[in-house]
Amino acid sequence: QWQPSPHLKNLLTKFYGKYLKTVIRSLTTRKKWSLWLLEKYWELGYEIAHWQDTFIADKISIIVHQIPTAENFVLSCAITELGGLSINLERSMLFDYCSYLHNPPNHAYLLTGPYSLTQIPEPCFSLCTVQVGVLNADTQPGIIPGYAELKGQSSIILSVFDEIPYDWYFGDSIRQLYLAMLDLVNQDKRFGLLIKSKKPQVLEKLTEVNEGIQELKARGKCLELDWKVTVSRAAAASDIAVCVPSTALFESVLTGTRTIVFNPMRSGTTIFYRNNGFNRRIFQDSGSMLAALKKYADGKDETIGDCSDLAAFIDPFGDDKGSERIGNYLKWCLEGYAVGKDCHQTLMAANERYIQAWGSDKVTDENADERSPGYCPAAAGQP
């Protein structure tokens, strides 16, 4: 829908001047990588100019985005040069393996809760972070087609949440997880499976697993859920959720469902080891995990999968009003611009109002050694 406005010519003319100066300086250095950098600079310059033209033409002062690509940087540069605010919404609940692509430079980063803040390995690139709570809570079991039949065949329902197999992060753990679950259900009649796959092609890639699932489905011991059923609803409908380290894991915990983590790659999710969680809610081999599930089924250990002490680390609010808090925060930013404040004054005022509403621990300045409520280095005139 975008059409170039008169602003674009001025923006590109300004960019051409900067580019020519950069070309001259780069060529005098006679470095081999200079031409590659010039090519990238040309591409980014054009992208930024076009985005700025869109923002100017449509009078956009705030952008909210969650794109996990390099485009985060382009958008942030474009809006910042115009005096606007770049706000990033956490794409999913972050954990230890997040990279700079999930952590772009913004004025404010809206995160789920304190666990996200503490697990980012590198310093946050945003001026401040704001905890808003979970957005996609769906804790009502609802009606799941075929669930009654599955429950009639099994006394203990295990919901299984996977990820993309053979990923550099998950390795072969997805296949191992499914094979372990298939063995458990085939050997122990008390268990049934409720499978919520991340994408349809996951099981298509796991031929051996898919064949086993189809056999269980024919016996009424397994139910595959379609995309319309949320992770939260699937977890709430089960007795225990079994996950690999993923967003589904956190969503399951927030439903109050017993949740265990299959983590043979020993990748992140450190909070699940807290309070003697090893081999109780997080397992590094299938043998220990299956033994724990059978122990729970026998009524010998009620602590298996108990993650009730972790919910506050993931979502400190627990009220399903994350969307409302985000809406209020953005409204306060718009009100700041409406009364003539610049971007830094607007951000600081919005942070102060959020602190008054939800507490000083919910807004964090990521760039100050000594954190104080509502403090923002840019608003204080610092770089």
Side-chain angles (χ1 to χ4, degrees), residues 236-347:
S238 63
D239 297 288
I240 300 180
V242 184
C243 323
V244 290
S246 63
T247 302
L249 164 63
F250 299 125
E251 293 183 19
S252 175
V253 171
L254 294 179
T255 66
T257 305
R258 293 179 182 273
T259 305
I260 65 175
V261 194
F262 183 56
N263 190 32
M265 298 290 286
R266 304 183 183 184
S267 307
T269 57
T270 54
I271 64 169
F272 289 88
Y273 289 94
R274 295 169 61 99
N275 300 332
N276 299 315
F278 182 55
N279 283 344
R280 183 169 65 88
R281 59 188 173 207
I282 187 165
F283 301 86
Q284 295 174 177
D285 66 272
S286 59
S288 299
M289 180 177 65
L290 296 185
L293 287 171
K294 291 180 180 180
K295 196 173 183 180
Y296 170 77
D298 293 336
K300 296 180 179 179
D301 192 345
E302 286 294 317
T303 69
I304 299 299
D306 184 3
C307 297
S308 56
D309 59 318
L310 304 182
F313 285 92
I314 301 170
D315 179 3
F317 300 97
D319 57 6
D320 298 343
K321 294 184 179 180
S323 299
E324 181 180 330
R325 276 183 286 273
I326 290 175
N328 286 332
Y329 187 81
L330 296 176
K331 181 181 70 173
W332 295 335
C333 290
L334 288 172
E335 290 174 354
Y337 280 114
V339 297
K341 293 180 179 179
D342 63 25
C343 65
H344 299 140
Q345 293 169 336
T346 294
L347 183 66

Side-chain angles (χ1 to χ4, degrees), residues 167-205:
D167 174 89
W168 66 269
Y169 181 72
F170 294 104
D172 191 42
S173 60
I174 310 301
R175 187 185 67 86
Q176 294 178 37
L177 170 63
Y178 273 120
L179 290 178
M181 293 296 99
L182 292 174
D183 286 342
L184 177 64
V185 176
N186 281 319
Q187 295 172 12
D188 195 323
K189 296 180 180 180
R190 294 174 294 179
F191 293 97
L193 294 184
L194 194 65
I195 296 176
K196 169 67 176 177
S197 189
K198 184 178 181 69
K199 294 182 182 296
Q201 59 267 33
V202 169
L203 294 177
E204 293 175 4
K205 293 182 178 180

Side-chain angles (χ1 to χ4, degrees), residues 122-240:
E122 67 270 11
C124 183
F125 297 154
S126 300
L127 294 180
C128 62
T129 50
V130 182
Q131 298 175 35
V132 297
V134 71
L135 299 181
N136 54 347
D138 179 19
T139 57
Q140 300 301 317
I143 299 175
I144 299 177
Y147 179 77
E149 292 79 0
L150 177 65
K151 189 64 176 175
Q153 292 281 346
S154 313
S155 58
I156 299 176
I157 303 298
L158 303 176
S159 55
V160 182
F161 304 105
D162 59 30
E163 266 289 345
I164 305 301
Y166 310 122
D167 174 89
W168 66 269
Y169 181 72
F170 294 104
D172 191 42
S173 60
I174 310 301
R175 187 185 67 86
Q176 294 178 37
L177 170 63
Y178 273 120
L179 290 178
M181 293 296 99
L182 292 174
D183 286 342
L184 177 64
V185 176
N186 281 319
Q187 295 172 12
D188 195 323
K189 296 180 180 180
R190 294 174 294 179
F191 293 97
L193 294 184
L194 194 65
I195 296 176
K196 169 67 176 177
S197 189
K198 184 178 181 69
K199 294 182 182 296
Q201 59 267 33
V202 169
L203 294 177
E204 293 175 4
K205 293 182 178 180
L206 301 172
T207 306
E208 180 184 3
V209 169
N210 195 26
E211 291 176 354
I213 289 175
Q214 298 309 315
E215 291 178 6
L216 289 182
K217 288 172 65 176
R219 290 161 44 197
K221 298 290 290 181
C222 178
L223 181 62
E224 283 188 84
L225 303 177
D226 63 22
W227 63 272
K228 296 178 183 178
V229 181
T230 65
V231 167
S232 299
R233 181 165 295 187
S238 63
D239 297 288
I240 300 180

Side-chain angles (χ1 to χ4, degrees), residues 94-95 98 103 109 111 115-124:
L94 299 179
F95 43 109
C98 72
N103 188 14
Y109 202 172
L111 296 170
Y115 178 59
S116 297
L117 301 183
T118 58
Q119 293 303 312
I120 295 175
E122 67 270 11
C124 183

